Amino acid sequence: MSESSLQPRASRRRKSLIRGALMLNGASAVVTVLLFILLLSLVAPPMGLNAPGARMAYWARLALWPALVLFGMVLGVMAMRGRTQAFNPIEDPESRCQRVCQRVLANSVEQSAVFIPALAALIATLPQPSLAAAMVATGLFVLGRLLFWAGYLVHPFARAPGMAMTLTVNLIVLGWAVLLQLGGMQPG
């Protein structure tokens, strides 16, 4: 086979994989929304969070979980660096696993930079009966980050469900917080 006949086949395979990843992203987003709605109906809202300080403490307790996931990712990068010869990240060659862990960490920092303040805004303005949404969103966000990490270690396209879950949760939290801000809704 000539090199030119291999390129179209590789290109078709890549396009097919990309189409599959996009379909998986869409399905993952739908599943995330359905999980969010289901869990919201099962989780009781926390009580006694009318005062701003109590809401801030609630936010801090929830923000701990994404921070723990990030810390685990930092440890993962450190462990990979310690297990290989790539001790110097500037000059030494890095393994695929190291590069994946570094990219997962970087992306998770970026996603957390959206989620954490949006979560604070949501908690500050949600009516008391809806505060369970913050707990549900945090759980799904953490699950999404872990699925992203595990999937990325398997194959770059396998990160799609975790990425879609994270993006969907960020859109829900950010969108809901913005709507509450625009509506001028007060907690209580």
Side-chain angles (χ1 to χ4, degrees):
M1 260 189 204
S2 70
E3 188 176 316
S4 62
S5 66
L6 290 177
Q7 285 178 337
R9 183 180 297 160
S11 177
R12 284 192 304 270
R13 185 176 182 326
R14 182 172 175 81
K15 285 180 183 176
S16 176
L17 284 172
I18 290 171
R19 246 190 321 275
L22 289 173
M23 288 174 53
L24 188 56
N25 275 339
S28 297
V30 169
V31 167
T32 301
V33 170
L34 293 175
L35 263 174
F36 188 88
I37 293 167
L38 173 68
L39 292 172
L40 199 53
S41 69
L42 298 175
V43 175
M47 301 310 292
L49 297 180
N50 292 326
R55 285 176 181 250
M56 180 66 134
Y58 180 58
W59 169 75
R61 287 192 305 274
L62 292 178
L64 173 66
W65 299 104
L68 284 172
V69 170
L70 285 175
F71 185 68
M73 291 173 178
V74 168
L75 292 177
V77 169
M78 288 173 53
M80 287 296 115
R81 197 168 306 292
R83 288 182 52 210
T84 66
Q85 306 228 349
F87 187 73
N88 180 341
I90 305 300
E91 296 176 8
D92 296 334
E94 297 172 326
S95 68
R96 177 192 178 279
C97 193
Q98 275 181 287
R99 290 191 314 272
V100 165
C101 287
Q102 290 167 351
R103 286 183 175 94
V104 167
L105 174 59
N107 184 266
S108 294
V109 167
E110 294 163 359
Q111 296 299 323
S112 296
V114 173
F115 180 73
I116 299 296
L119 183 67
L122 186 64
I123 289 171
T125 53
L126 268 177
Q128 174 72 37
S130 300
L131 280 171
M135 187 182 312
V136 170
T138 302
L140 290 175
F141 180 85
V142 166
L143 178 61
R145 291 289 81 202
L146 294 173
L147 287 173
F148 178 75
W149 193 4
Y152 211 151
L153 287 169
V154 172
H155 188 276
F157 289 124
R159 65 190 171 171
M163 183 52 126
M165 180 175 273
T166 303
L167 179 62
T168 304
V169 169
N170 271 343
L171 285 171
I172 290 170
V173 171
L174 195 57
W176 199 349
V178 166
L179 287 175
L180 288 170
Q181 291 295 318
L182 292 176
M185 188 174 243
Q186 296 299 315

